[in-house]
Amino acid sequence: MKVEALILNLIAVFCVVTAAVYGIWSREPIGTTALVLSGGLSGLIGGFFWFVSRRIDPRPEDRKDAEIAEGAGELGFFSPASYWPFGLALAAAVTGLGLAFWYVWLMMIGVVALLIATGGLLFEYYVGQNAQSS
């Protein structure tokens, strides 16, 4: 994770320096704000990766003496077919539409749909036919 932290922190520094130069030369607040916020977000993620990299063992990607075979193996479980991400995106779109037009009733419907879709995605393999018996 040290490599990812370094990359994102360099992007954050670049965005902040660019925001300062851009803000002085153009005196345009929108682009300057966008660059500052982009730098802040990159720095936040880079800081998190740096924080995590200090607490875990170095991965093969982080060591210079690592062999390719050390990175082999299971990377994780990825759902082969799930409709919950589509429902989650649809609920987020409804919530965003409610926010854009400031329809409180649509925002409430969207938030409820977001909670249901998030719960469905999180607990997909704990209920129904996909549940594993112990």
Side-chain angles (χ1 to χ4, degrees):
M1 292 223 154
K2 291 183 182 188
V3 174
E4 293 91 343
L6 178 66
I7 290 171
L8 284 162
N9 286 329
L10 287 175
I11 291 171
V13 169
F14 172 78
C15 286
V16 170
V17 170
T18 305
V21 172
Y22 181 80
I24 291 169
W25 276 354
S26 72
R27 298 181 197 267
E28 194 266 321
I30 303 301
T32 307
T33 303
L35 284 168
V36 168
L37 290 176
S38 296
L41 183 61
S42 296
L44 183 72
I45 298 169
F48 173 76
F49 282 163
W50 174 78
F51 182 77
V52 169
S53 72
R54 293 181 10 187
R55 284 163 174 68
I56 62 172
D57 294 331
R59 302 174 304 164
E61 295 89 355
D62 295 330
R63 295 190 347 253
K64 293 191 185 299
D65 63 339
E67 296 291 328
I68 293 174
E70 291 181 50
E74 186 175 326
L75 296 176
F77 175 76
F78 302 97
S79 181
S82 175
Y83 293 109
W84 287 111
F86 176 73
L88 194 61
L90 189 63
V94 169
T95 306
L97 202 59
L99 279 169
F101 293 109
W102 201 248
Y103 292 151
V104 177
W105 61 272
L106 192 57
M107 286 189 286
M108 290 192 307
I109 290 171
V111 167
V112 169
L114 271 172
L115 291 173
I116 291 170
T118 303
L121 184 66
L122 289 174
F123 297 112
E124 180 174 18
Y125 288 97
Y126 295 104
V127 296
Q129 67 182 8
N130 297 321
Q132 296 183 10
S133 60
S134 40

